[in-house]
Amino acid sequence: MSGTPDFDDDALPPTSFDPFADEAADAGAGAAGAGDDGRVHLRVQQRNGRKTLTTVQGLSKGFNYAKVLRDLKRELCCNGTVVEDKELGNVIQLQGDHRKKVAAFIAKAGLAKTDCIKVHGF
């Protein structure tokens, strides 16, 4: 107690926003990978200024992600990419906030049931 405050090194600053925090809370003790809980998670991440990024996580590994991405890009008129993550599996990233449109597209295309799609974010 020499006047230095005790800080938790793993804690995020109070001004930062972690879009995957609710996923960690839902997973409980175990780490959830892509498709473990059978849900498709749609999130939005704030980039810089007004720019946002929509992420699609949890699609079945049996799908061809390149074809799904191509169809999403054509449907939404935006750019995107597939990111391969060790913990999360394949994650589709799209430029802009397209959570509602992506949810409708996934349900219409039959990639996931409507009740299995979870939309996160503000």
Side-chain angles (χ1 to χ4, degrees), residues 23-84:
E23 173 67 21
D26 290 343
D36 283 349
D37 59 354
R39 293 179 148 250
V40 177
H41 299 276
L42 305 176
R43 294 182 176 85
V44 65
Q45 292 178 330
Q46 188 72 33
R47 286 181 33 213
N48 49 358
R50 295 175 51 195
K51 308 286 185 183
T52 56
L53 190 70
T54 301
T55 59
V56 181
Q57 173 193 346
L59 287 174
S60 175
K61 294 178 182 178
F63 293 121
N64 186 347
Y65 279 81
K67 290 185 179 182
V68 173
L69 176 65
R70 182 190 66 207
D71 293 340
L72 278 169
K73 286 166 57 172
R74 286 182 182 170
E75 180 79 18
L76 303 174
C77 300
C78 68
N79 200 4
T81 187
V82 177
V83 177
E84 296 178 11

Side-chain angles (χ1 to χ4, degrees), residues 105-121:
F105 175 84
I106 290 174
K108 183 177 80 172
L111 300 175
K113 296 179 182 176
T114 307
D115 57 342
C116 293
I117 299 172
K118 184 162 183 172
V119 179
H120 302 274

Side-chain angles (χ1 to χ4, degrees), residues 12 17-28 43 120:
L12 295 172
F17 172 71
D18 185 11
F20 296 103
D22 50 355
E23 173 67 21
D26 290 343
R43 294 182 176 85
H120 302 274

